Amino acid sequence: MSRLVLKKRNRRQPLIDRRGLSAIAKMLLERPRATINSLAPTWQACIPLAALILLVSSTAAVAQDAPTVESLAETTSTLQVGLDTLWVVLAGVLVFFMNAGFGMLETGFCRQKNAVNILSKNLIVFALSTIAYWFIGWGLMFSDGNPFFGTAAPFFLSGADNSPATGDAYEGVYSAISWAGVPLAAKFFFQLVFAGTAATIVSGAVAERIKFIDFMLFSLLLVGIAYPITGHMIWGGGLLASGGFWDFAGSTTVHAVGGWAALMGAAILGPRLGKYNEDGTPNALPGHNMSIATLGCLILWLGWFGFNPGSTMGVGDGSAIAHIALTTNIAAAFGGVAATFTAWSLLGKPDLSMTINGILAGLVAITAPCAWVTAGAAAIIGLIGGILVVLAVGFFDRIRIDDPVGATSVHLVNGLWGTLAVGLFAKGPDGTLYEEGGGPLAGLFYGGGLTQFGIQLGGTLLCGLIITVLSAIFWYALKAIMGIRVSAEEELVGLDIGEHGMEAYAGFVKDATGAPSGVYTTSSTSTGIAGNPN
């Protein structure tokens, strides 16, 4: 039986060579029907598809015009706006995520029985901030007006605006922020998360004894009225902006403002039960979960890379973003190390809570000067911030200001320090970090004398005066109308049960009384409680 031998085709040899294709083409032209009928069915099926491809490609080739200089410029501009908008929104999302960091930090630093209350405040505060800032805050802060607040479009983001146009091409009522070449919605979102941060700062300082409803109302008043007034003076083209005051990302505008409001709240509320003895010496009321407090610190550190670099509100060539990220991180690192060793020398042990607050102190301090100082200056600013926060905690304890998380020490003290640091360490508009008009005068240590320092000092103190007065009015009004502090019994049991009717750790063992030492004046079965200052 013979075998059928098949000749193998060379893999490089086409099914139909060029001569074959030419012959088929010639046959199609001379005898189309006969040629098509002579082809295999699979080849016949390809003819309609080939004709469709030829038709579409020919139409596209005819319809597409050759690019012009104008069309290329328009495409480049559109891509630039899109890239800048993406950066601003992503940076805003990082700042928004800082709410989780504040929630974790404050909850960990406070006692178990108040965890739900603190988490609730940190969650609701951004929702309230969104409403207040959209309703009136944005308009007061950024619409054209007088040196203290905007008047052109005070409500609902409603003013005329043709963003992302900038410079002479801009037509609208938000001229103070028209330098940012992104849509109005992106500008609003980024500024909103800053306003929410200022309100969140207050939460920690008044923790463990404030009524939930009063905190909500104060947040609305702060974000809707007080914060926008000082914000307009600095970033909205108002009094301080025209006077040469500079605050790149908000050491005063956000942190010191939130710190002043927090200080007034803590002072008017009074200390927690059992915090101070009769002779004024403080008792430790340790937080219940340092793990989530540390997680909160790391989240905040991460969020600051949106807070500071995002304040460029544009990508540019990327050099400004990279420089600001560098100075931000260096200040945080030096702040954490400085606070650790300062606390170690004063307390005999390296205190984790001080390390956490030292990192945050460095971040707050570098927020104002981050774009205008060198990396070496950032290290000094962060180092001093870390030392200051430890000393400030002791100072506020000595004057009986009870701040459970150290918010005033971190945000107020280092917000002031960071603002003043601009007048000491600003490189000056020499073309290396920024051009003329793009930042402050040279600081004291760079040959600029005390001119910029004096402007910074006067500006931050003026903002402090305004916020202190407005905050005091708000707090005392709420106290007179509703009372701002929970009852002594409720404070002992915990605000989770008294204010929210639930526990953060249901089923976990906890302190049976919830009372610090020295609080009870009678037996443990009595309701006699000492020292409710409300």
Side-chain angles (χ1 to χ4, degrees):
M1 184 179 211
S2 64
R3 292 182 301 169
L4 179 64
V5 179
L6 299 178
K7 184 179 180 181
K8 293 184 179 179
R9 178 177 61 85
N10 190 322
R11 290 183 180 180
R12 295 183 180 179
Q13 180 182 351
L15 291 172
I16 302 176
D17 58 18
R18 292 180 181 177
R19 288 176 297 175
L21 287 172
S22 300
I24 291 174
K26 184 177 180 180
M27 292 170 61
L28 280 171
L29 292 173
E30 294 177 353
R31 295 179 296 168
R33 180 174 296 178
T35 303
I36 292 172
N37 291 337
S38 67
L39 295 174
T42 53
W43 283 99
Q44 293 182 29
C46 291
I47 292 175
L49 178 62
L52 181 62
I53 293 173
L54 179 63
L55 178 63
V56 171
S57 62
S58 300
T59 303
V62 172
Q64 183 176 1
D65 296 327
T68 63
V69 174
E70 291 78 8
S71 65
L72 288 174
E74 183 179 355
T75 300
T76 302
S77 177
T78 301
L79 290 174
Q80 184 65 56
V81 171
L83 185 60
D84 289 343
T85 302
L86 179 62
W87 166 241
V88 170
V89 172
L90 286 176
V93 168
L94 281 174
V95 180
F96 166 79
F97 190 51
M98 290 172 70
N99 285 280
F102 280 115
M104 296 295 97
L105 179 74
E106 293 174 19
T107 302
F109 273 177
C110 293
R111 290 168 291 180
Q112 175 185 338
K113 62 183 180 179
N114 299 310
V116 168
N117 178 257
I118 293 166
L119 292 170
S120 297
K121 288 190 299 178
N122 279 277
L123 187 59
I124 199 66
V125 72
F126 188 74
L128 294 169
S129 298
T130 299
I131 295 170
Y133 202 63
W134 175 65
F135 175 68
I136 191 172
W138 164 269
L140 289 178
M141 187 165 176
F142 283 108
S143 71
D144 299 339
N146 58 54
F148 296 97
F149 53 87
T151 58
F155 300 106
F156 297 114
L157 202 65
S158 58
D161 180 84
N162 70 335
S163 297
T166 60
D168 295 336
Y170 178 77
E171 298 176 358
V173 299
Y174 306 113
S175 56
I177 200 170
S178 62
W179 56 269
V182 296
L184 179 62
K187 297 176 184 178
F188 172 79
F189 175 70
F190 189 73
Q191 294 299 328
L192 165 64
V193 294
F194 276 57
T197 299
T200 304
I201 292 169
V202 179
S203 171
V206 299
E208 299 199 297
R209 72 266 201 208
I210 192 171
K211 290 182 179 179
F212 188 66
I213 184 63
D214 288 280
F215 173 77
M216 294 175 66
L217 293 174
F218 182 83
S219 298
L220 288 171
L221 293 169
L222 177 66
V223 177
I225 299 175
Y227 173 82
I229 290 176
T230 51
H232 180 81
M233 292 167 59
I234 300 171
W235 288 343
L239 178 67
L240 296 181
S242 61
F245 181 88
W246 292 90
D247 183 0
F248 186 79
S251 285
T252 284
T253 315
V254 178
H255 296 285
V257 163
W260 285 116
L263 177 64
M264 294 308 297
I268 294 170
L269 267 172
R272 292 168 292 174
L273 297 178
K275 175 60 180 177
Y276 299 105
N277 299 313
E278 291 183 1
D279 60 0
T281 56
N283 293 312
L285 302 178
H288 81 285
N289 194 329
M290 294 306 292
S291 298
I292 63 171
T294 303
L295 175 61
C297 175
L298 290 169
I299 292 173
L300 290 170
W301 195 342
L302 171 66
W304 238 282
F305 294 118
F307 206 100
N308 288 359
S311 294
T312 58
M313 296 195 76
V315 173
D317 63 359
S319 59
I321 292 174
H323 176 75
I324 295 167
L326 173 65
T327 56
T328 298
N329 192 63
I330 285 178
F334 275 83
V337 172
T340 300
F341 281 97
T342 302
W344 202 339
S345 64
L346 294 177
L347 306 176
K349 298 288 184 180
D351 188 325
L352 174 58
S353 66
M354 290 298 184
T355 302
I356 289 172
N357 277 339
I359 290 169
L360 300 181
L363 290 167
V364 170
I366 199 60
T367 296
C370 57
W372 306 312
V373 300
T374 64
I380 299 172
I381 292 169
L383 186 147
I384 294 174
I387 296 171
L388 283 176
V389 75
V390 177
L391 300 179
V393 168
F395 169 76
F396 285 119
D397 257 348
R398 284 193 296 274
I399 64 173
R400 296 174 65 92
I401 298 294
D402 183 16
D403 181 351
V405 305
T408 49
S409 301
V410 170
H411 298 279
L412 173 56
V413 172
N414 281 281
L416 296 174
W417 160 235
T419 305
L420 298 179
V422 174
L424 298 175
F425 296 99
K427 187 75 160 45
D430 58 0
T432 55
L433 293 181
Y434 56 99
E435 303 289 344
E436 188 73 36
L441 304 173
L444 174 64
F445 299 136
Y446 286 84
L450 288 171
T451 302
Q452 189 65 53
F453 181 85
I455 295 172
Q456 298 298 114
L457 176 62
T460 194
L461 291 180
L462 177 59
C463 288
L465 175 63
I466 293 172
I467 293 298
T468 299
V469 171
L470 290 176
S471 296
I473 293 171
F474 297 157
W475 284 123
Y476 277 118
L478 290 171
K479 184 175 182 179
I481 296 170
M482 307 173 63
I484 58 176
R485 183 161 180 158
V486 300
S487 68
E489 291 82 2
E490 188 175 341
E491 185 176 342
L492 285 177
V493 173
L495 276 64
D496 289 1
I497 296 298
E499 290 279 283
H500 305 277
M502 63 177 63
E503 295 179 296
Y505 309 99
F508 282 63
V509 176
K510 64 178 181 179
D511 179 18
T513 65
S517 61
V519 172
Y520 284 114
T521 58
T522 61
S523 67
S524 60
T525 59
S526 170
T527 58
I529 300 166
N532 187 342
N534 197 36

